Amino acid sequence: MRLFHVSEEANIDIFYPRIPDRNDLDKGVGLVWAIDEDRLPNFLTPRDCPRVTYHVGKHTNEVDKKEFFTSSSRKHTIVIESKWFDRMKNTKLYLYEFEIKNFELQDEIAGYYISKTPQVPIAKHQISDLFSELIRRNVEIRIVDNLWDIADRVKSSTLNWSLCRMKNVEPKL
């Protein structure tokens, strides 16, 4: 297994624990976040890009596989809005890789790992073409006008899913 932090910043030498924004986490404990390689595609977008991501999990049924994937060879999908296409095409990302022994699992479905101590990356990888990287990782890419329809549908499916940066989506009509 490999763990990463994804950033648009090119020169991070050390990651210091930060207080989480999420209300379901202890605001008194700073954390360094990492993502496992299986869920890494969920973060191969510009930071503020709203997206719906989903992948096949152990409880995903065949009906949902057929409904949400266009090919049986795909097991992971990223959906973005068309207005983010150019930004996605022109963004460089940096994957900071961490030593896994310094992290503990925080959320198995999301692939989130946390550390309460500062972390120095063991490697840095640059990605200049996000679309090519997603395709290389066998991820289906969908581009839609608005994310709310697919977000509502995927939430009631048997897929493992994540809704990221949805505050940046136009409100439902």
Side-chain angles (χ1 to χ4, degrees), residues 34 66 86 118 126 134 141 149 157 170:
K66 288 180 180 168
D86 285 333
Q126 179 180 311
L134 288 165
I141 304 162
D149 179 54
S157 76
E170 294 295 323

Side-chain angles (χ1 to χ4, degrees), residues 84-143:
W84 282 86
F85 179 83
D86 285 333
R87 177 114 181 255
M88 179 106 166
K89 201 169 69 170
N90 296 307
T91 296
K92 283 185 189 173
L93 291 178
Y94 300 89
L95 307 182
Y96 293 91
E97 188 169 358
F98 295 116
E99 183 68 54
I100 63 173
K101 69 180 180 185
N102 300 325
F103 286 82
E104 62 185 71
L105 180 63
Q106 193 267 337
D107 184 324
E108 184 176 8
I109 290 176
Y112 294 154
Y113 286 75
I114 55 171
S115 175
K116 297 174 184 169
T117 61
Q119 297 297 316
V120 175
I122 59 173
K124 179 176 75 172
H125 313 278
Q126 179 180 311
I127 300 175
S128 298
D129 184 336
L130 304 181
F131 287 113
S132 290
E133 183 67 16
L134 288 165
I135 291 166
R136 184 183 76 74
R137 292 176 178 274
N138 203 32
V139 174
E140 183 172 317
I141 304 162
R142 294 173 133 187
I143 301 172

